[in-house]
Amino acid sequence: MGRIARYFLYLLMVFFVGIAMGLIYSLLQPEKAVEYMKTIAQQLGSLSKSPFKNFITIFVHNSWVALLTLISGLFFGIGPAILVMTNGFVVGLVVGVLWENGMPPRTLVLGLTPHGIFEIPAFILAGVAGVCWYKKIVEDKDRGRGFKEGASFALRMYGVVLAMLLVAAFIEAYITPNVASLG
């Protein structure tokens, strides 16, 4: 198995650990979980009635988070694991809080899955790009060449990430609200 696939699977496992931690936290500390969820919602801001504005807001926000995840790979290759786990924790927390407050499982699945199919792998791929960049620097015997090659590779991967996030934002803004309301 190649390096990229190994890093991807590792970060995917970290994401699922984060989800489990968020779910457990929401069950053990329901009041704190609700407060934390409210804080996150306030930081992200409210969405508009315009799907196009929501699409832009979601895409820009997620693009910045993905870039931060990529760049965090330069911090000894562990930054992406921390950010991916945090993202998973938030997903688990939100699912746990909504579940505890009576949201039907079908609505939860329909609210997360359509755009999550693109968004989650995109964030993980951004983390993989950052780790690969870091590894290229560490393995560089030519001093300086690894940084440039790693940066070039990371930017190409970030282009793929942006394309995936564009699709995810479109789905989240235009499709998810209609599909999730079926539950």
Side-chain angles (χ1 to χ4, degrees):
M1 185 181 321
R3 179 184 278 187
I4 293 171
R6 259 194 332 271
Y7 294 157
F8 189 90
L9 289 175
Y10 165 72
L11 288 175
L12 184 61
M13 287 188 303
V14 168
F15 180 75
F16 284 122
V17 167
I19 289 175
M21 290 170 56
L23 283 169
I24 291 167
Y25 184 82
S26 71
L27 295 173
L28 297 177
Q29 299 287 331
E31 297 85 17
K32 288 183 181 178
V34 169
E35 288 304 314
Y36 186 64
M37 198 169 112
K38 287 179 183 176
T39 301
I40 293 169
Q42 287 174 344
Q43 289 174 348
L44 294 177
S46 61
L47 292 177
S48 165
K49 291 187 190 273
S50 163
F52 182 73
K53 286 182 181 177
N54 292 339
F55 165 72
I56 297 298
T57 300
I58 292 165
F59 177 70
V60 169
H61 170 77
N62 288 343
S63 297
W64 278 109
V65 172
L67 184 60
L68 177 64
T69 303
L70 186 155
I71 292 170
S72 74
L74 296 176
F75 296 99
F76 310 106
I78 61 168
I82 294 166
L83 292 175
V84 166
M85 183 177 285
T86 301
N87 198 335
F89 178 86
V90 170
V91 169
L93 182 97
V94 168
V95 167
V97 167
L98 294 176
W99 174 275
E100 286 295 312
N101 286 294
M103 183 173 279
R106 180 179 178 186
T107 304
L108 283 169
V109 169
L110 292 174
L112 293 172
T113 304
H115 72 275
I117 289 171
F118 294 94
E119 191 174 289
I120 293 165
F123 285 129
I124 292 172
L125 196 57
V128 168
V131 173
C132 287
W133 188 1
Y134 171 75
K135 287 291 190 179
K136 203 69 155 154
I137 293 168
V138 169
E139 295 168 354
D140 183 17
K141 306 289 187 237
D142 250 353
R143 299 283 180 228
R145 191 169 171 198
F147 183 88
K148 292 175 189 173
E149 288 176 3
S152 175
F153 174 77
L155 286 174
R156 287 192 310 274
M157 285 186 72
Y158 187 64
V160 173
V161 167
L162 288 177
M164 293 170 73
L165 290 175
L166 197 64
V167 172
F170 179 84
I171 293 169
E172 192 170 357
Y174 288 98
I175 297 170
T176 298
N178 297 321
V179 172
S181 67
L182 295 175

